[in-house]
Amino acid sequence: MTQSRRTIEQLLNQGTLPIEKADTAALLLDVYPSKRTWLQFFDKALLIVGGIALVLSLVFFIAYNWLYMGKLAKFALVEGALAITIALYVALSFRQRFAFIRQLLLLIASIITGSLLALFGQVYQTGADTWQLFFGWAVLILPWVIIARFPALWLLWLGLINTVTLFYIDTSLFFGIDYYYQDFWQFTVITVINVIAFYLWLICFEDKRGSGLSNLKTSNLKTSNSSLSDLSFSSVTTDIAINSKFNSSTTLHTAAKSSLHWSTYVVGLLSTYTITYLTISTFFDNKNILLFLVAVSLWLGWCVFMHWRFRKRTTDLLMLTYLSGSVIAVVIFILGKALLSDFDAGGFLLLGLVLIGMSSYAVVWLRKVARLKNENNVPHTTVKGEQL
């Protein structure tokens, strides 16, 4: 439940807000998305979908007509699309307009760059390793990644880095490590990359959302103070709503601080998957107990960080859900190897009971955390000096 929704609910329970005015108050306090909010969402969503569809249509067009197009036509089509995209970006940059479209143009240009490299390798059959394609792609678009400051483009670049690491260790001896341990070190490096990326994501977007929150809070307070008085409330109701808005602003920073950018959740999910897979796969390989201890140490360190960052410092239920899912997966796989060696029915029953018990405990714990978070963010409403 959001801060504004709790405020309106408290006013309704006190009887100071007429029930027929609840919808109007909800609109003023941004409980429900406004028409402008929906229009902005669909505008950006359709722009992204349309831009990606154009790039994919270019790739599929060349692939479908591969036998009927010459080398010059193929390169002219891809390079022409790249030149037009960059020209549009430069033109909009000089006019300092349409910041989101400029970011989207750089994303499209980055994808076209990868298509151009793939086309070059396919036409001239360079014989280069797969990782070199993705490495060159990542290096070439790095300036655009820095300039755009666009989360979707950062995710693309992070995906390229993961792909480069995956293919590079597959095709070469990583720092002279024995081939027998290549799989372990391959996923260890990928895990470290994603965990570091997750930490950097938290630092960057925490500062960004913190600065943006202060501006949003100021604008919301100004809008609420001017708009609530227009409602046909009683004077007491108007005072309550305004005072509640000001009192809730002191806890708004704490509540919204845990609401992370969508890309942070994507990187968090990626780091959760990689470190969980590393721990489970190392346990099942039975190659070296020392490698398993290294993997478990990394996993435990990650668990401690997640609990401290998203439970002690701030509260984020989705991140805590990632943590709970990782713990359940690791424990179940370890118990499964011990209990299901002979595939007996008793082992399956016990493993199922453990899974049900851990899942139930995780749900109860997450609900408790959510309830404590809501209680800590409940505003204190004051009416003419009286504490309610």
Side-chain angles (χ1 to χ4, degrees), residues 250-291:
T250 60
T251 59
L252 183 61
H253 179 73
T254 303
K257 192 176 181 181
S258 62
S259 181
L260 302 173
H261 192 269
W262 65 268
S263 60
T264 308
Y265 292 112
V266 175
V267 181
L269 180 61
L270 182 60
S271 65
T272 302
Y273 168 76
T274 54
I275 199 166
T276 304
Y277 180 85
L278 174 66
T279 307
I280 294 173
S281 62
T282 306
F283 177 74
F284 276 88
D285 281 342
N286 288 325
K287 292 180 179 178
N288 193 328
I289 187 62
L290 182 60
L291 298 182

Side-chain angles (χ1 to χ4, degrees), residues 306-315 320 369 372:
M306 292 288 286
H307 186 269
W308 168 80
R309 178 61 177 80
F310 300 109
R311 179 64 185 95
K312 298 297 183 181
R313 185 177 177 184
T314 56
T315 302
L320 293 178
V369 171
L372 292 175

Side-chain angles (χ1 to χ4, degrees), residues 12-227:
L12 289 172
N13 292 334
Q14 294 170 357
T16 53
L17 176 64
I19 188 64
E20 61 272 9
K21 301 296 182 181
D23 290 339
T24 307
L27 290 175
L28 291 175
L29 296 179
D30 295 329
V31 174
Y32 306 128
S34 62
K35 292 182 179 180
R36 182 179 180 82
T37 302
W38 281 113
L39 288 175
Q40 291 176 348
F41 169 76
F42 284 113
D43 184 35
K44 291 184 177 181
L46 292 176
L47 277 174
I48 294 175
V49 173
I52 295 177
L54 283 175
V55 177
L56 294 179
S57 65
L58 173 65
V59 175
F60 290 132
F61 179 81
I62 294 177
Y64 185 79
N65 297 279
W66 185 267
L67 298 177
Y68 308 102
M69 296 178 65
K71 296 179 181 179
L72 182 61
K74 296 171 185 175
F75 281 104
L77 188 59
V78 177
E79 293 176 0
L82 181 61
I84 292 174
T85 304
I86 298 301
L88 288 175
Y89 173 79
V90 172
L92 293 177
S93 298
F94 274 115
R95 296 187 179 183
Q96 295 294 322
R97 298 181 62 186
F98 307 112
F100 178 75
I101 295 180
R102 297 203 306 268
Q103 292 175 331
L104 186 59
L105 287 173
L106 287 182
L107 175 61
I108 294 174
S110 300
I111 299 176
I112 295 177
T113 301
S115 303
L116 180 60
L117 292 176
L119 176 63
F120 181 83
Q122 187 67 27
V123 169
Y124 293 104
Q125 295 295 323
T126 59
D129 292 328
T130 307
W131 71 269
Q132 294 176 332
L133 166 65
F134 292 98
F135 179 76
W137 188 359
V139 171
L140 289 176
I141 69 172
L142 182 58
W144 295 340
V145 173
I146 298 174
I147 294 173
R149 294 180 294 176
F150 190 34
L153 190 52
W154 295 350
L155 289 176
L156 174 62
W157 196 78
L158 178 61
L160 292 176
I161 296 300
N162 279 273
T163 307
V164 169
T165 306
L166 186 66
F167 285 117
Y168 175 74
I169 300 179
D170 270 344
T171 57
S172 61
L173 291 178
F174 186 65
F175 292 111
I177 297 173
D178 189 357
Y179 183 79
Y180 189 64
Y181 302 109
Q182 284 291 90
D183 291 341
F184 170 79
W185 291 110
Q186 181 184 57
F187 248 89
T188 300
V189 174
I190 292 177
T191 299
V192 171
I193 290 175
N194 288 303
V195 170
I196 293 175
F198 179 49
Y199 182 71
L200 294 177
W201 236 273
L202 289 173
I203 294 177
C204 296
F205 280 102
E206 184 178 34
D207 296 338
K208 182 178 179 180
R209 292 182 73 87
S211 60
L213 179 63
S214 59
N215 297 331
L216 177 63
K217 183 171 63 177
T218 303
S219 62
N220 283 346
L221 288 175
K222 290 179 180 179
T223 304
S224 300
N225 295 341
S226 61
S227 301

Side-chain angles (χ1 to χ4, degrees), residues 338-349:
L339 297 176
L340 303 180
S341 57
D342 298 328
F343 293 96
D344 57 321
F348 280 103
L349 176 61

